[in-house]
Amino acid sequence: MIKEAYKIAILAGDGIGPEVMVEALRVLDTVAAKFDFVIEKTEKLVGGAAIDAVGEALPADTLAACEDSDAILFGSVGGEKWNSLPPEKRPEVGALLPLRKHFDLFANIRPAGVLPALKNSSPLKPEIIGEGFGFTILRELTGDVYFGEKNRGEDFASDLMIYRQAEVERIARIAFQLAKKSRNKVTNVDKANVLATSQFWRKIVEEIHAKEFPEVELNHLYIDNATMRVLTHPHDFDVILTGNLFGDILSDECAQISGSIGMQASASINSENFGLYEPMGGSAPDIAGKGIANPIAQILSVAMMLDIGFGELAAAKAIKLAILKTLEDGFRTGDIFTEGCKKVSTSEMGDAIISRIK
Ligand code: NAD
């Protein structure tokens, strides 16, 4: 029986976006052939490239292609050239935020960790890294203080921190579901010793846990403690569940642990499991056009899409194993290069990973 094709909107964007996307798509084609599924790709302009072509960062036909797809594979947007535009017209604000809003992408999933082969690139001490570790940060993306009522007076300013029951319930469910597919542990991070919002959040997380996921281990940490523990005891974590504000800070802190932003992918999904998959880094204008960007974050975005979005677990695993093997074999782009390794270009890194998938 022929499987239905997975339809993917490809939005490569600006800077290194198109360079690393080429490698990610080559990897995607390789696993599709190997694991016998069909991919239907629609490539569209987004960000600065779209502003240059049609005057807006998220053109209507790009949005329409996303609506007609099963997932969005996003590169990165932005650059000096568009910085003089009003903030709402710039590539990042004009493209990414409307996409998140339009598809209600409330759950931001960010894997963090150190691979054994990259121990020397991480700022953490070897004795803390041990044999390497990995955990996932799940950040609520559409609520909290960013979206509460804002007030600005002559001598005061305020931003309302607000979460509604349904918003906490749906993100908590995703945390427990992710933990069930991983090491069965959720650490909820909040500030329940001070904030009413956090006390409410924690109560709902505990209710969902007791009613629907009692088999998953649940513990709680205050955000101030969590920011320290991820650095001193990273092996303790499996899935970290947290709100928008705390997740913003914690996920960037954890992105540094891996050694390079060029290794970090993320997914933002909605309640229908429709997702946008992208590298965590930006368009890296300082290295764009040189063929030296690390394509691994974009390739890992493909693996996340296959895993979370399509349930093609074997294909996702094959990509991750090929990346591990490539790194173990000493291949490094400049951002993760250490003495004694083989420095490669963006496309050579793609070649090395593809040959190990085959
Ligand atoms: P950046 O992530 O683009 O770059 C920060 C540093 O990381 C640079 O030194 C860059 O060379 C390096 N880097 C990033 N990705 C890399 C990769 N794959 N391989 C090797 N090195 C890599 O952040 P920035 O410089 O603050 O921002 C540049 C532009 O990107 C800005 O316009 C910013 O607004 C935009 N941006 C976009 C997104 C997005 O599209 N999601 C996210 C962040 C920043």
Side-chain angles (χ1 to χ4, degrees):
M1 198 181 73
I2 299 176
K3 282 198 230 171
E4 214 176 307
Y6 298 117
K7 291 163 91 177
I8 306 171
I10 312 287
L11 314 186
D14 309 316
I16 62 166
E19 299 169 39
V20 291
M21 188 64 87
V22 168
E23 304 311 316
L25 295 181
R26 289 172 64 214
V27 167
L28 179 58
D29 289 340
T30 307
V31 289
K34 179 163 176 165
F35 293 92
D36 199 22
F37 56 85
V38 178
I39 295 288
E40 213 176 277
K41 305 179 205 114
T42 307
E43 301 198 24
K44 290 286 172 189
L45 292 174
V46 75
I51 294 173
D52 287 351
V54 296
E56 50 184 331
L58 184 63
D61 77 319
T62 298
L63 187 59
C66 296
E67 281 176 339
D68 191 38
S69 297
D70 301 314
I72 303 169
L73 192 58
F74 196 90
S76 51
V77 292
E80 190 57 41
K81 185 176 176 192
W82 305 282
N83 281 353
S84 54
L85 292 172
E88 69 283 3
K89 297 235 184 265
R90 282 184 210 156
E92 306 86 319
V93 182
L96 257 181
L97 298 190
L99 276 172
R100 283 182 191 154
K101 192 160 180 235
H102 184 81
F103 291 103
D104 196 20
L105 304 174
F106 67 89
N108 185 226
I109 304 166
R110 291 185 167 209
V114 178
L115 301 173
L118 289 187
K119 268 187 194 179
N120 294 337
S121 303
S122 171
L124 294 188
K125 288 182 187 157
E127 57 266 36
I128 288 178
I129 296 171
E131 289 311 302
F133 61 87
F135 56 84
T136 299
I137 300 179
L138 176 64
R139 168 189 171 195
E140 203 287 333
L141 207 57
T142 54
D144 207 340
V145 71
Y146 299 128
F147 297 95
E149 189 186 326
K150 294 176 185 303
N151 278 304
R152 181 84 186 261
E154 269 298 299
D155 58 353
F156 79 97
S158 68
D159 301 270
L160 180 68
M161 180 179 265
I162 179 166
Y163 266 116
R164 297 180 195 286
Q165 182 166 345
E167 290 174 318
V168 187
E169 285 176 354
R170 65 184 187 172
I171 194 80
R173 283 194 185 99
I174 291 185
F176 292 118
Q177 283 157 1
L178 285 173
K180 282 180 72 166
K181 290 205 289 184
S182 180
R183 294 191 302 282
N184 221 35
K185 179 175 175 184
V186 169
T187 301
N188 171 56
V189 170
D190 60 30
K191 189 74 184 166
N193 50 344
V194 178
L195 299 172
T197 326
S198 286
Q199 288 153 15
F200 177 75
W201 169 286
R202 190 181 281 209
K203 175 177 143 304
I204 294 166
V205 171
E206 285 179 339
E207 282 169 6
I208 294 288
H209 174 245
K211 269 192 240 156
E212 300 176 30
F213 301 92
E215 70 281 16
V216 178
E217 188 188 338
L218 170 67
N219 66 348
H220 304 280
L221 277 183
Y222 298 134
I223 178 64
D224 38 348
N225 193 6
T227 54
M228 297 188 280
R229 302 261 331 162
V230 291
L231 302 180
T232 56
H233 296 76
H235 290 267
D236 287 358
F237 297 98
D238 178 12
V239 174
I240 296 179
L241 163 64
T242 191
N244 204 347
L245 175 62
F246 301 146
D248 192 355
I249 299 159
L250 199 58
S251 60
D252 270 13
E253 181 192 8
C254 292
Q256 292 306 310
I257 292 175
S258 80
S260 171
I261 194 81
M263 295 289 303
Q264 305 288 116
S266 81
S268 303
I269 61 171
N270 68 17
S271 32
E272 276 84 52
N273 204 36
F274 177 87
L276 180 149
Y277 301 85
E278 62 176 331
M280 281 189 210
S283 56
D286 53 335
I287 57 166
K290 298 183 179 163
I292 57 170
N294 187 343
I296 292 180
Q298 191 76 63
I299 293 170
L300 283 171
S301 318
V302 167
M304 289 186 86
M305 177 181 73
L306 294 171
D307 178 348
I308 298 168
F310 305 155
E312 293 286 349
L313 306 185
K317 196 170 171 195
I319 295 176
K320 286 188 250 176
L321 286 177
I323 291 172
L324 280 181
K325 184 79 178 77
T326 303
L327 294 171
E328 273 165 20
D329 290 345
F331 291 81
R332 299 283 190 279
T333 41
D335 57 314
I336 50 173
F337 180 77
T338 45
E339 220 34 59
C341 292
K342 179 174 160 49
K343 197 182 255 186
V344 293
S345 66
T346 308
S347 62
E348 286 167 337
M349 182 61 100
D351 290 342
I353 293 169
I354 287 167
S355 69
R356 283 158 184 77
I357 293 172
K358 287 178 175 163

